[in-house]
Amino acid sequence: MLNDLNFKALIARGDQKRFRQLMELTSDELLWFAIGFLKNRETSEEIVSDVYVSIWNNRKQLESITNLKSYLFICVRNGCLSHLRKIKNEKIISIDSVSEFSFVRVEGPENDYIEKETLEQIYAAIETLPCKCKMAFTLAKINGLKYREIAEVLGVTEKTVNNHLVLAVKKIMEALNVNKKAKVKTSPLKQAGLFNYTW
Amino acid sequence: MEEAEQRYELITKELTSEIPEGEKIFPDKEISENIELRQKKAMLQYFWFNYFPKPLPNQIIKKTEKKLGFSNAKCTIGISTIYKTAAAVLLVVSLGYIGYQHSKPKNNVILNEYVTLPGEVKEFILSDGTKVWLNSKTVLIAAEPFIEENREVLLIGGGYFEVAHDAGKPFIIKSSSLKTTVLGTHLDVSAYPGDIKTEVSLYEGKVEIADKDLPENKMVMKPGQKVSFSNDEKNFYVKSNELEIPAEWREGILRFYDEDLNSIAQKLERKFSTRIFITDDQVGKLRFTASFDTEPLDKILKLLREAHEFKIEKTTNGIIIKTVKNNI
């Protein structure tokens, strides 16, 4: 939907309702991403909001953007980088110089299939990952970005994205302590089929 | 080690759906034989597809709209969007929680909107097997699949329901003033915004209808009953106890039973997507009993005029109905 030409054309022509839809669809995810960098909710909200303001002010160029989703993430990334530059007074010029990124806390459905301790093990495994690897993992897992899109946001090749994600998966799998009594109620694969949600 | 690396890559690509369509995946011997590995993989998959951050209540949209000076956006909404806006408002009130989840990606509940245009009648089948026919200019909203205790839908307009039986999960139709609770049955609900009454006709089964604001104010309907609920006075009125042919509007039939011209005009407006103005109260209160099949609007008005005299004037903005008395 986001990359629908008609959708972008309507916003470009000044359709405020469509623009609001765009924000409704993307604001939560962009906020989580910004908090990953800044750990501060208020500043993160401000940065995401500023991104929307500049998108609206430059809406005439919207139609030339092929992938609106990754574009939004790139804008938020840039906003966070320049904020870090300001407050830390460091030479944070590119994403490579960012040294901290936090993986957002997640919640599962009720009747958790994954026990609390296991979830902590997963968090701990993610924490050991290098910063950019954590970012790649967040963008893939939380935001559902494709390799190509993650590569754009992080400024690396798709091959590197693949390496990051494989490392993350490996670390998590190694950390998992499988309980022999694990309740297998519904096949996770079956459940996964329900999530064919496309943007 | 190389082999293990490949195994993790395979699992990663499965999670991220990066395996191109049509590409063959060779089943990994180790994964299929090693139970512990399989369990770990299943757990990771479950984590990947089911665990997401809770949406953070935030002011981003509000802030942005304020910065851009959108605050007067509400005043410029066209009439055509009123139905959708009404839907959105009601939605926030009654399905707020589910609406919230909707903004989350990869969620199993999807908010579906079924819409009909003026003059259109459409048939839909909901995820639980319930059949719905929507009359013209109607919006039906359902969070599907129905995972809550109840199967709740929101109706703005008119619809005929053949509710799939599920004793454990009542089917609830919420409209602006009524809450209709159903346990597997056939019924017709008319709850258009702007109408002074909400009407429910029951053809089969049992339903309970309750005032949305005062749940104690309720009644249980019997098959064959047609009940009209006054949206202002909040009282029920049993209009008929006779079983009729269910929801004839589905076949394009318009039937009025001792109905006044005000309410007939509203139905004609929706079906023919035109405006009908009634200039004085007296004409509006004239009552008619009639049924129409494929007649065009012109003919319908002329036929109604046979029963009670009134004057029809066509303008570019719609049709004006006047009393004849003034001209004598």
Side-chain angles (χ1 to χ4, degrees):
Chain A
M1 170 181 177
L2 285 189
N3 291 322
D4 190 29
L5 274 179
N6 194 28
F7 184 75
K8 287 189 279 193
L10 283 166
I11 295 177
R13 259 182 265 146
D15 190 327
Q16 298 185 354
K17 234 178 77 191
R18 291 302 144 103
F19 185 64
R20 199 191 157 89
Q21 270 179 11
L22 171 72
M23 293 194 283
E24 282 167 355
L25 277 168
T26 54
S27 56
D28 276 336
E29 300 205 36
L30 295 176
L31 180 60
W32 295 323
F33 189 54
I35 289 176
F37 281 101
L38 307 177
K39 298 181 187 65
N40 178 313
R41 187 115 148 236
E42 233 163 89
T43 323
S44 300
E45 278 192 27
E46 204 54 49
I47 281 166
V48 175
S49 165
D50 284 343
V51 166
Y52 287 131
V53 169
S54 95
I55 296 259
W56 178 259
N57 289 337
N58 299 302
R59 58 186 180 277
K60 295 253 151 44
Q61 277 113 56
L62 216 51
E63 279 168 278
S64 61
I65 296 162
T66 43
N67 191 331
L68 190 48
K69 192 174 174 181
S70 46
Y71 183 75
L72 284 167
F73 276 95
I74 291 170
C75 291
V76 170
R77 175 201 75 189
N78 291 344
C80 292
L81 288 182
S82 64
H83 180 77
L84 288 175
R85 200 152 41 222
K86 249 185 270 165
I87 56 159
K88 290 202 167 175
N89 209 6
E90 276 172 28
K91 284 176 189 155
I92 296 178
I93 329 159
S94 78
I95 196 155
D96 298 308
S97 37
V98 177
S99 54
E100 279 175 68
F101 186 84
S102 50
F103 180 73
V104 60
R105 290 250 144 186
V106 291
E107 275 179 22
E110 279 170 48
N111 306 327
D112 281 3
Y113 168 73
I114 297 176
E115 280 168 26
K116 274 214 176 77
E117 302 102 76
T118 314
L119 195 58
E120 288 306 324
Q121 285 165 358
I122 295 177
Y123 284 136
I126 295 171
E127 275 319 303
T128 64
L129 297 170
C131 190
K132 260 186 137 174
C133 180
K134 247 190 270 180
M135 291 179 197
F137 183 74
T138 301
L139 290 169
K141 155 79 186 85
I142 305 292
N143 309 107
L145 294 195
K146 309 298 284 176
Y147 281 16
R148 188 173 31 80
E149 296 168 323
I150 300 170
E152 277 179 59
V153 178
L154 299 184
V156 294
T157 61
E158 283 184 48
K159 180 90 187 71
T160 311
V161 172
N162 181 55
N163 293 345
H164 280 322
L165 294 177
V166 172
L167 177 65
V169 164
K170 186 181 163 195
K171 288 278 181 216
I172 295 172
M173 295 257 304
E174 280 171 358
L176 282 179
N177 208 343
V178 183
N179 184 345
K180 291 273 152 59
K181 292 177 283 176
K183 326 151 220 174
V184 185
K185 282 176 299 193
T186 355
S187 147
L189 267 178
K190 228 178 185 177
Q191 298 229 358
L194 286 171
F195 295 91
N196 295 329
Y197 183 104
T198 45
W199 260 44
Chain B
M1 204 56 214
E2 180 70 13
E3 227 176 89
E5 217 52 40
Q6 272 177 10
R7 196 170 301 131
Y8 287 123
E9 181 162 348
L10 187 69
I11 294 170
T12 310
K13 291 205 164 173
E14 260 182 61
L15 290 174
T16 53
S17 332
E18 288 282 343
I19 296 169
E21 228 175 289
E23 188 169 300
K24 265 204 170 162
I25 306 164
F26 295 100
D28 190 276
K29 202 169 162 239
E30 184 68 17
I31 295 177
S32 48
E33 281 172 8
N34 182 335
I35 291 174
E36 199 189 314
L37 194 64
R38 226 164 55 205
Q39 280 183 336
K40 284 186 178 184
K41 188 186 161 205
M43 195 174 277
L44 178 61
Q45 271 176 329
Y46 191 79
F47 170 76
W48 187 278
F49 292 111
N50 292 284
Y51 281 68
F52 288 96
K54 228 167 70 184
L56 298 164
N58 65 69
Q59 305 291 315
I60 293 174
I61 295 175
K62 241 183 172 171
K63 264 188 204 168
T64 311
E65 290 190 333
K66 207 174 154 195
K67 284 182 201 166
L68 293 170
F70 281 9
S71 51
N72 54 357
K74 271 178 203 147
C75 312
T76 56
I77 291 171
I79 286 174
S80 60
T81 61
I82 280 180
Y83 281 85
K84 287 210 163 182
T85 315
V89 170
L90 279 170
L91 186 69
V92 169
V93 175
S94 29
L95 294 169
Y97 169 71
I98 296 161
Y100 219 93
Q101 297 222 324
H102 181 53
S103 59
K104 242 167 54 172
K106 292 179 176 169
N107 196 306
N108 48 356
V109 174
I110 293 171
L111 217 49
N112 288 323
E113 207 182 14
Y114 304 92
V115 184
T116 51
L117 302 171
E120 194 180 51
V121 171
K122 266 197 206 161
E123 183 188 341
F124 298 104
I125 293 174
L126 305 185
S127 63
D128 64 334
T130 294
K131 259 192 195 174
V132 187
W133 284 260
L134 295 185
N135 207 339
S136 55
K137 259 182 127 170
T138 295
V139 180
L140 179 85
I141 294 164
E144 292 175 282
F146 299 101
I147 53 162
E148 304 290 328
E149 285 173 17
N150 299 319
R151 294 173 281 170
E152 265 189 32
V153 298
L154 202 66
L155 177 72
I156 302 153
Y160 176 77
F161 295 82
E162 286 184 359
V163 176
H165 187 76
D166 185 350
K169 261 192 188 186
F171 192 89
I172 295 175
I173 303 160
K174 283 194 171 170
S175 51
S176 61
S177 59
L178 266 192
K179 185 177 160 189
T180 309
T181 307
V182 182
L183 285 158
T185 186
H186 297 181
L187 78 160
D188 192 0
V189 179
S190 169
Y192 281 97
D195 280 9
I196 52 164
K197 54 190 193 288
T198 305
E199 289 188 331
V200 182
S201 309
L202 182 63
Y203 300 97
E204 217 183 289
K206 193 172 148 187
V207 301
E208 183 192 81
I209 47 179
D211 188 338
K212 221 179 133 204
D213 302 317
L214 187 71
E216 295 83 32
N217 184 19
K218 62 181 179 186
M219 75 169 278
V220 175
M221 284 179 70
K222 292 190 208 91
Q225 273 186 340
K226 181 172 191 159
V227 172
S228 149
F229 178 76
S230 144
N231 296 337
D232 292 327
E233 283 144 42
K234 311 277 181 203
N235 48 31
F236 297 102
Y237 169 67
V238 180
K239 279 179 83 173
S240 146
N241 271 311
E242 249 184 77
L243 215 53
E244 300 167 353
I245 304 158
E248 286 168 301
W249 52 258
R250 289 179 292 162
E251 271 81 48
I253 294 170
L254 269 176
R255 186 184 292 274
F256 309 118
Y257 179 76
D258 193 25
E259 213 166 314
D260 66 32
L261 197 55
N262 279 326
S263 119
I264 291 173
Q266 278 179 328
K267 288 186 183 167
L268 293 174
E269 277 186 335
R270 286 196 291 263
K271 182 161 170 157
F272 296 100
S273 96
T274 178
R275 295 299 312 269
I276 299 176
F277 304 96
I278 296 174
T279 53
D280 62 290
D281 272 341
Q282 256 182 314
V283 184
K285 280 179 187 150
L286 292 174
R287 301 187 86 82
F288 299 86
T289 297
S291 85
F292 302 99
D293 187 354
T294 52
E295 284 87 351
L297 181 58
D298 271 353
K299 190 140 183 234
I300 292 178
L301 289 172
K302 278 180 190 154
L303 284 166
L304 289 174
R305 202 172 54 180
E306 303 263 355
H308 297 287
E309 279 237 78
F310 54 78
K311 224 176 131 186
I312 307 164
E313 240 183 80
K314 271 199 205 166
T315 70
T316 45
N317 290 324
I319 291 160
I320 302 174
I321 291 177
K322 286 180 178 170
T323 169
V324 273
K325 249 186 286 169
N326 304 338
N327 297 332
I328 298 169

